[in-house]
Amino acid sequence: MLGDEAINLICGLLPPDGAKSGLKELTLSANPGITPKGWSRLAIAVAHSSQVRVLNLDYNPLGDHVAGMLAVAVASSRTLEVLDLEGTGLTNQSAQTLLDMVENYPTALRSLVLAENSISPELQQQICDLLSEGEEEEEVTGGADDTQEWERGREPAAHQRGSSSWMCPSDPSSQMVLMTSGLGDSLLAETEM
């Protein structure tokens, strides 16, 4: 039952570009009191946050306009890996915007939950396929951060979570279970402040 005032406070917990430590996971499920103005403020904070990795906005009346703002935030974010937009009133219009974002802009996004929206299974599958392609490329090529972690004798985070929990299923209607399993208590524990 949060509103725009709460969003203003939450945005303070998403500091820009490592200015100070902030939230790594944010769950704002089922908050119909947040207006488009509040969601736009959150989108700006997420776009500039250097730490938020998981954003759960499921069961909020977001609609296509807010989804468009969130697509810009995801495209701008260097850290956001999981975005849950289940049951948020999205249509093929916002799915097309999200598809364009995934297709044309490099992003850290690995999981996008779109279940229980008015989005065609074909568009959901196209988005899933593109997210899976990006993940496969990352697994094959690795990155400087992965190399540094291996050199320190630690397994990189991408390998720890297991790719099967992050990959899109072949049946988009089963996305929720496959895409969120594997998050477990570890991410929840990171955000309890």
Side-chain angles (χ1 to χ4, degrees):
M1 301 311 296
L2 300 176
D4 289 354
E5 306 80 34
I7 289 294
N8 290 337
L9 295 172
I10 290 167
C11 287
L13 299 173
L14 300 172
D17 298 323
K20 57 183 178 179
S21 64
L23 296 176
K24 292 182 182 356
E25 179 176 353
L26 179 57
T27 298
L28 292 170
S29 303
N31 286 290
I34 300 172
T35 68
K37 181 179 177 181
W39 291 121
S40 65
R41 180 166 165 100
L42 179 70
I44 292 166
V46 167
H48 293 286
S49 171
S50 62
Q51 298 179 17
V52 68
R53 296 183 318 163
V54 178
L55 184 59
N56 297 308
L57 301 178
D58 50 321
Y59 301 104
N60 284 298
L62 302 180
D64 292 331
H65 181 72
V66 173
M69 289 186 286
L70 290 170
V72 172
V74 171
S76 299
S77 173
R78 295 183 310 262
T79 58
L80 190 66
E81 297 177 357
V82 179
L83 179 60
D84 184 352
L85 297 175
E86 179 177 4
T88 53
L90 307 185
T91 68
N92 284 341
Q93 177 185 338
S94 52
Q96 195 63 52
T97 301
L98 292 164
L99 176 64
D100 182 56
M101 183 253 330
V102 170
E103 201 168 33
N104 296 306
Y105 299 93
T107 174
L109 194 67
R110 300 291 172 255
S111 176
L112 178 59
V113 181
L114 296 171
E116 296 187 39
N117 284 298
S118 297
I119 299 173
S120 73
E122 295 81 18
L123 271 174
Q124 288 190 48
Q125 190 61 49
Q126 283 180 295
I127 293 167
C128 261
D129 290 347
L130 286 169
L131 288 174
S132 294
E133 283 176 19
E135 183 175 283
E136 289 167 10
E137 288 172 13
E138 182 179 297
E139 285 178 16
V140 170
T141 61
D145 291 339
D146 284 357
T147 303
Q148 290 172 351
E149 289 297 303
W150 285 118
E151 288 171 355
R152 291 183 188 130
R154 293 187 295 218
E155 189 175 6
H159 294 270
Q160 293 171 358
R161 66 179 167 249
S163 61
S164 62
S165 64
W166 292 86
M167 292 183 71
C168 296
S170 57
D171 176 15
S173 65
S174 64
Q175 271 182 339
M176 184 61 181
V177 174
L178 289 175
M179 294 182 127
T180 60
S181 63
L183 292 179
D185 296 332
S186 62
L187 284 178
L188 294 175
E190 288 179 18
T191 59
E192 292 178 0
M193 298 180 149

